[in-house]
Amino acid sequence: MGTTTLSGTLRARLEKQGIGIGDEVIVPAYCDSEVAAAVRETGALPVFADIEPGSLCIDPASVAAAVNERTAAVVPVHLFGHPADMVCLHALAQRHGMKVVESGEPAVVSSVEAARRRQHAEFLNARLTGVVVPRAATGTRHAYEQYVVRVPGNGRPDRDVFKRALWARGVRCHVPVRTPVHRLPGFRADVRLPETERAVGECLALPLEASMTRRELQRIVSACNALGGLLMEPAC
């Protein structure tokens, strides 16, 4: 789903719930700006919440802290193939009389492709050192639409040095979220989101496709593990 379609679909869903001028809608700052843009297009105010460090999805505890009498809804974003904590979010919404409006539909992939992605992720999880590998929260299944690791150290400079070194070794990695939405022009908000800021500085998406061979995966492992000396502290 393209970002224009995402924005239009989410706006329609919000408006269907009667959300508009005078309302506040809680959204994650660690995602695409189209979510906050769709909220603003309804006339409502996007309010930014922090993320859980493990799933990188919106943190129900941070959502709870942002709720006030104007809060009309929360928009969870299922990020990189990991679902947001919908059980906690629905319970929170019920307690406060607000709506849960999902940003979009999950990507549709065949069971064979999904199984291959999980197998590839398990291979990388078991062999990568020097980076913090993604893990699924208890009771959830990670689809690994993107394979996002953390590069520990002193923040963004270390991650970006690591990224450039991987590119030099032929690994086409990328930074999934370069700037959180609450720091973008037009959405700036004076809010403290420590886990979001940390993720922005540490996260790196490594290539992972269902069609990849074991040799291609091992090339990623070898390139990453050879760069452990760039890191300032060990992965946990």
Side-chain angles (χ1 to χ4, degrees), residues 64-95:
V67 171
N68 61 43
E69 67 277 4
R70 294 181 299 278
T71 305
V74 57
V75 179
V77 176
H78 308 302
L79 207 59
F80 311 137
H82 194 295
D85 189 342
M86 300 303 291
V87 173
C88 284
L89 290 173
H90 277 292
L92 181 64
Q94 187 173 26
R95 286 198 301 274

Side-chain angles (χ1 to χ4, degrees), residues 10-235:
L10 178 56
R11 176 180 177 176
R13 289 176 176 176
L14 291 165
E15 290 177 339
K16 186 176 180 180
Q17 296 293 336
I19 295 167
I21 296 172
D23 292 326
E24 293 186 0
V25 178
I26 302 174
V27 300
Y30 190 75
C31 67
D32 194 285
S33 64
E34 291 297 315
V35 174
V39 171
R40 193 168 60 183
E41 286 166 7
T42 69
L45 175 69
V47 174
F48 299 104
D50 212 351
I51 57 172
E52 296 179 318
S55 69
L56 300 175
C57 297
I58 195 167
D59 183 358
S62 183
V63 172
V67 171
N68 61 43
E69 67 277 4
R70 294 181 299 278
T71 305
V74 57
V75 179
V77 176
H78 308 302
L79 207 59
F80 311 137
H82 194 295
D85 189 342
M86 300 303 291
V87 173
C88 284
L89 290 173
H90 277 292
L92 181 64
Q94 187 173 26
R95 286 198 301 274
H96 293 279
M98 61 183 184
K99 306 292 185 181
V100 177
V101 183
E102 295 192 54
S103 60
E105 303 298 335
V108 178
V109 298
S110 70
S111 58
V112 172
E113 180 179 346
R116 289 282 290 173
R117 280 182 168 276
R118 290 190 180 98
Q119 288 172 359
H120 293 344
E122 289 171 3
F123 180 91
L124 294 175
N125 286 351
R127 291 164 177 80
L128 286 171
T129 60
V131 297
V132 180
V133 299
R135 301 289 186 185
T138 303
T140 65
R141 298 195 74 187
H142 202 316
Y144 295 103
E145 292 168 11
Q146 293 192 57
Y147 186 84
V148 178
V149 302
R150 286 178 181 264
V151 181
N154 291 333
R156 183 177 297 180
D158 301 297
R159 189 271 317 280
D160 289 350
V161 168
F162 195 85
K163 172 180 172 286
R164 289 193 295 271
L166 286 182
W167 268 81
R169 289 162 170 78
V171 177
R172 301 300 186 253
C173 53
H174 69 277
V175 176
V177 178
R178 177 65 67 172
T179 305
V181 185
H182 71 297
R183 298 286 183 243
L184 292 174
F187 293 104
R188 293 189 185 278
D190 184 15
V191 58
R192 184 174 178 273
L193 305 175
E195 291 299 338
T196 294
E197 299 285 359
R198 181 171 168 241
V200 163
E202 292 184 351
C203 286
L204 186 66
L206 301 179
L208 190 150
E209 299 293 340
S211 60
M212 293 177 74
T213 65
R214 187 58 57 88
R215 177 172 292 184
E216 289 172 324
L217 293 170
Q218 185 56 52
R219 187 178 300 122
I220 294 170
V221 171
S222 298
C224 287
N225 292 356
L227 296 173
L230 285 176
L231 307 179
M232 301 301 293
E233 61 188 50

